[in-house]
Amino acid sequence: MALAVRAPRFQPRPASVSAPASTSSLAAAANARSRAGAAVRASAASPFTEATSSSRYRRDAWSYAADGSSKPASSSSSSDAAAAAAAVAAAGRRDDEIALQLPELRRLLDALRASRGRGAEGEGGAGGPGRVALVGTGPGDPELLTLKAVRAIEAADLVLYDRLVSNDVLDLVGEGARLLYVSKTAGYHSRTQEEIHELLLSFAEAGANVVRLKGGDPLVFGRGGEEMDFLQQQGIRVEVIPGITSASGIAAELGIPLTHRGVATSVRFLTGHSRNGGTDPLYVAGNAADPDTTLVVYMGLSTLPSLASKLMKHGLPPDTPAVAVERGTTPQQRMVFSLLKDLVDEVKSADLVSPTLIIIGKVVSLSPFWVDSSEHDALKIENSYEARNLNYG
């Protein structure tokens, strides 16, 4: 297994292992990789906003009413309510958590409407609706944000954000803005897509400058197109600010060209999502198994066994290079390079977690982090010898 943590982007390519290479040097390399991977697993918290993270509830504390009164919640009572919401969310009671938020959301809407009305009267005209910006935040590294995205984030009145928006990006939100978590993840939907639509519409109609933050690019497997279509049909002005999609950002980080003359003539983005939480990806066509095409699989960790099997069944060579990258472009990045036939076992052994991007294709071998097959096999043999010696010792 080739498991590595984030390293300098242009680290020199590892030297290939020739036939007489010493097994001791291979063992040292294997041990170093193993220690590095274990250290990352033990020390690094996720850079992203998890459903029940303490940082998430600190940011969203304003939205929880401490009691049923119509008075604005104080700082301490709001924090108490946020703690209660964290408890119900941890217990999986989504409806209870939303019910706690509704009074504060209504109060904010009323305040925005009143403020908008006063401003309009002073100018002698009726206040029009606000706007919604769908902003892509890239794969996690805040330095990959566009200048336009930063300006929109800093100017927001209300920010609706997903789990795959990194904490570093959320730190750019202005002090006067309100943040609201609306992520949908396996086993936990803080909001349905229809509820997200209604939130965007309600606050935009109240005159707010609303920013909808999405990891990667909002129009690549982000359901941004659905939100844009819904809002435009309601007469709301929508601006889409593109982000660097994970395929481009992570591939660049690893030195993998998604297309390369003589190696890959096209690139194809696939979703690894399944229907109703099943084990099969939604759609894997026979023509996806093209040796001259680079495949990039989003959200494919749970369906990887079925995906890899189907690709090989459709004719993709088992020795096709591949890489799985967890939390790409962040300091907690981990990556597993492998041949396609071994990828499922290697990912399982490394215990990668979501979000993980998978790249499959000959271009993967162009990465400076790629270990060729001879060294890969030698490392496996050396690891098996070490395991036997430990067992007998």
Side-chain angles (χ1 to χ4, degrees):
M1 176 179 68
L3 172 64
V5 298
R6 189 179 186 189
R9 188 165 300 169
F10 299 110
Q11 177 176 328
R13 181 190 300 272
S16 297
V17 177
S18 59
S22 68
T23 56
S24 61
S25 62
L26 293 174
N31 290 335
R33 289 188 179 94
S34 177
R35 287 194 300 271
V40 169
R41 283 193 295 275
S43 64
S46 175
F48 300 107
T49 303
E50 305 301 332
T52 57
S53 69
S54 58
S55 60
R56 176 215 153 178
Y57 285 103
R58 283 196 300 272
R59 291 189 184 100
D60 295 5
W62 69 271
S63 66
Y64 298 100
D67 52 41
S69 69
S70 60
K71 297 179 181 178
S74 67
S75 176
S76 60
S77 62
S78 183
S79 298
D80 292 342
V88 298
R93 300 200 299 274
R94 168 188 170 274
D95 291 340
D96 291 348
E97 184 181 0
I98 290 178
L100 286 170
Q101 288 182 316
L102 286 177
E104 291 304 314
L105 289 173
R106 292 193 183 108
R107 277 194 276 269
L108 178 60
L109 268 174
D110 290 342
L112 285 167
R113 287 168 179 151
S115 174
R116 189 75 171 178
R118 285 194 298 272
E121 289 173 4
E123 296 167 6
R131 71 182 185 97
V132 174
L134 305 180
V135 178
T137 63
D141 183 349
E143 293 186 355
L144 294 179
L145 284 171
T146 65
L147 290 174
K148 195 169 187 179
V150 172
R151 293 189 186 109
I153 292 170
E154 291 175 341
D157 298 317
L158 178 70
V159 176
L160 277 62
Y161 64 101
D162 281 343
R163 180 177 73 95
L164 296 184
V165 177
S166 71
N167 292 316
D168 286 339
V169 170
L170 292 173
D171 288 342
L172 299 173
V173 176
E175 290 184 3
R178 305 296 183 97
L179 291 98
L180 187 63
Y181 182 79
V182 294
S183 187
K184 301 182 298 300
T185 60
Y188 181 87
H189 283 203
S190 64
R191 301 281 174 176
T192 66
Q193 190 62 46
E194 290 72 24
E195 287 169 337
I196 294 171
H197 287 171
E198 292 301 327
L199 283 166
L200 292 170
L201 176 62
S202 296
F203 282 96
E205 286 181 334
N209 183 12
V210 184
V211 168
R212 173 75 165 102
L213 293 183
K214 291 175 173 288
D217 183 273
L219 302 184
V220 178
F221 296 129
R223 304 190 74 170
E226 298 173 41
E227 294 169 5
M228 176 176 62
D229 183 56
F230 171 81
L231 292 167
Q232 288 177 338
Q233 287 187 29
Q234 308 303 316
I236 301 299
R237 182 164 59 95
V238 181
E239 179 182 19
V240 179
I241 300 177
I244 294 179
T245 188
S246 296
S248 297
I250 293 173
E253 180 73 24
L254 303 186
I256 298 174
L258 293 176
T259 61
H260 192 80
R261 188 167 62 175
V263 181
T265 57
S266 63
V267 59
R268 183 168 185 169
F269 297 167
L270 301 176
T271 174
H273 266 325
S274 61
R275 288 187 178 87
N276 301 320
T279 59
D280 280 344
L282 286 173
Y283 181 70
V284 182
N287 60 7
D290 176 10
D292 295 325
T293 295
T294 303
L295 300 179
V296 182
V297 186
Y298 290 72
M299 305 161 290
L301 207 53
S302 62
T303 60
L304 179 58
S306 176
L307 173 70
S309 175
K310 287 184 176 181
L311 288 174
M312 289 185 285
K313 182 179 178 180
H314 284 310
L316 197 62
D319 61 353
T320 300
V323 62
V325 190
E326 172 195 309
R327 301 182 286 191
T329 76
T330 73
Q332 294 82 6
Q333 173 179 290
R334 294 195 300 142
M335 49 196 172
V336 171
F337 285 86
S338 171
L339 302 179
L340 177 59
K341 63 184 177 66
D342 301 320
L343 185 61
V344 173
D345 291 338
E346 301 288 17
V347 167
K348 184 177 180 180
S349 176
D351 195 24
L352 298 189
V353 299
S354 175
T356 290
L357 187 83
I358 300 163
I359 305 176
I360 302 170
K362 292 183 289 187
V363 291
V364 173
S365 65
L366 300 177
S367 169
F369 302 108
W370 175 255
V371 178
D372 69 19
S373 59
S374 61
E375 182 175 351
H376 191 266
D377 292 340
L379 285 170
K380 278 191 169 182
I381 292 170
E382 182 63 27
N383 287 338
S384 69
Y385 284 152
E386 286 187 346
R388 288 178 188 173
N389 291 336
L390 287 173
N391 290 334
Y392 287 124

